[in-house]
Amino acid sequence: NLDLTGVNFVRDIFNGQSNRWQRIMSTTRYDLVFFLSDGSIPVSFARENILHFQVPFNRNFKTLSNAAKFLKVNAVVCNSQFTKAYIDLAFGIKSRVIYPPVDVSSFSPGKKENIILSVGRFFGPSHPKKQEIMIREFVGLYKKGLKNWKLILVGGLTSGNEEDVERLRKKSTGYPIRIITDSSFPVLKDYYGRAKIYWHAAGYGENLEENPQKAEHFGITTVEAMSAGCVPVVFAAGGQLEIVDDGKTGYVWKSTEELREKTLALTKDEKLLADLSQKAAIRSKDFSIGRFFDNWEALLSNL
């Protein structure tokens, strides 16, 4: 639903058939270049240059070449304090954080049902969402008596991962678990509105010191769920810790035992669930599109 009126798409000015000098000189036509980095630093002679990082690279990028390129960079922005910590160390810089815009106004609580929801792509190799862990833990809870609840997993499916999803479906057979791939936005919105609890497990079981990118870099779906009144119960790593205040706007967990305990506490206490649901919805407003615009306008006015 983005309005692209006035947006002009052009060929990538940093790659192409022209020689390197021609590509560099093409940047002089622009007042501002906003560059989403994959770890590289562009050579740009635009009047203003902003570099944006969404991934916490755990490498040493402190080179003379990069130091020279940074002389033309006016600001470096990260999507979370988690990402910033790694980027600042990797490049020897001081970046700033502007959280991603979440369209919280598009989501609202509906008629709540006993649903635990999780949203995330299926089997992203560099950033797995750990659906198999959530299925295993839900089955364990079901076998111990949590029989009046459902687990719904919604996410995009990358070509080539169909067999992996079928394996998840087989593990779910006989249990109140539904797997929905490539859902429409109305379907996703409906489940956000109906779900009482939101699970997120990205980063669990990973060596996050060596591979911080496997934790959730920020957590847009967590904010979306909170805006619809879902109580988040998310793995305690990455950007999730900046979104969820444990015990106040939801719960974070470090072990699957904690995941089970905190989930059961919510299923047994309607008052607790309602209280955290309300506080989660209020917290989600801190990541609204309006707040995002305000932060960017403040940045641009000080370039």
Side-chain angles (χ1 to χ4, degrees):
N1 297 322
L2 292 178
D3 180 4
L4 299 182
T5 303
V7 177
N8 180 33
F9 294 90
V10 299
R11 189 173 65 184
D12 185 353
I13 62 173
F14 296 101
N15 293 287
Q17 301 302 314
S18 58
N19 64 49
R20 180 176 173 79
W21 179 247
Q22 288 176 324
R23 294 200 300 271
I24 291 173
M25 291 307 297
S26 71
T27 63
T28 62
R29 303 197 308 265
Y30 297 97
D31 295 313
L32 179 133
V33 166
F34 175 88
F35 189 86
L36 176 59
S37 179
D38 57 359
S40 61
I41 312 300
V43 177
S44 173
F45 289 111
R47 192 178 70 188
E48 312 284 356
N49 295 282
I50 297 175
L51 202 58
H52 182 51
F53 288 94
Q54 294 185 344
V55 178
F57 296 108
N58 188 20
R59 291 172 53 190
N60 184 356
F61 289 99
K62 298 173 188 174
T63 65
L64 289 175
S65 174
N66 278 342
K69 294 175 184 177
F70 271 117
L71 294 175
K72 285 294 294 178
V73 174
N74 301 85
V76 180
V77 177
C78 296
N79 59 348
S80 65
Q81 295 291 343
F82 170 67
T83 299
K84 169 183 165 60
Y86 284 92
I87 293 303
D88 287 1
L89 185 63
F91 291 95
I93 60 172
K94 289 186 178 181
S95 61
R96 65 188 78 192
V97 173
I98 295 181
Y99 290 117
V102 184
D103 190 10
V104 295
S105 62
S106 289
F107 307 100
S108 59
K111 185 178 180 181
K112 290 296 185 180
E113 302 174 22
N114 290 346
I115 292 174
I116 299 172
L117 176 68
S118 186
V119 178
R121 76 176 67 86
F122 289 94
F123 297 101
S126 63
H127 191 201
K129 302 295 184 178
K130 304 290 183 174
Q131 285 94 345
E132 68 278 12
I133 299 297
M134 291 184 279
I135 289 173
R136 185 190 73 191
E137 295 308 312
F138 181 81
V139 168
L141 288 172
Y142 179 87
K143 289 179 177 179
K144 291 182 178 180
L146 192 71
K147 298 187 185 299
N148 59 337
W149 283 73
K150 301 175 184 177
L151 174 65
I152 309 293
L153 302 175
V154 181
L157 177 60
T158 304
S159 177
N161 291 127
E162 291 84 0
E163 289 185 6
D164 294 318
V165 171
E166 282 307 308
R167 178 169 52 82
L168 292 182
R169 293 189 193 279
K170 288 180 181 179
K171 289 188 175 189
S172 304
T173 301
Y175 301 101
I177 300 173
R178 187 178 180 192
I179 296 172
I180 303 172
T181 59
D182 299 317
S183 81
S184 65
F185 180 71
V187 168
L188 175 62
K189 183 177 178 180
D190 178 59
Y191 274 115
Y192 275 139
R194 290 160 57 191
K196 291 181 178 179
I197 297 173
Y198 182 77
W199 274 6
H200 205 298
Y204 174 76
E206 302 286 352
N207 185 337
L208 298 180
E209 286 297 320
E210 292 186 7
N211 301 297
Q213 73 279 5
K214 292 185 180 293
E216 194 62 36
H217 311 155
F218 170 63
I220 287 177
T221 60
T222 298
V223 177
E224 290 177 342
M226 291 167 69
S227 70
C230 300
V231 178
V233 184
V234 300
F235 185 59
Q240 303 277 28
L241 293 171
E242 299 167 49
I243 299 169
V244 180
D245 190 352
D246 190 41
K248 296 181 179 179
T249 58
Y251 289 121
V252 299
W253 54 273
K254 294 182 179 179
S255 67
T256 51
E257 181 181 9
E258 269 193 291
L259 168 63
R260 294 191 300 271
E261 289 176 352
K262 291 180 174 181
T263 299
L264 283 174
L266 289 169
T267 64
K268 293 177 180 179
D269 191 335
E270 284 292 332
K271 185 176 183 300
L272 173 65
L273 187 71
D275 179 60
L276 289 178
S277 171
Q278 183 179 38
K279 290 176 179 176
I282 293 171
R283 170 60 173 156
S284 72
K285 303 299 188 291
D286 292 335
F287 306 101
S288 68
I289 291 176
R291 182 68 62 86
F292 174 81
F293 285 161
D294 289 343
N295 290 333
W296 270 103
E297 287 175 4
L299 170 63
L300 293 172
S301 66
N302 288 300
L303 287 181

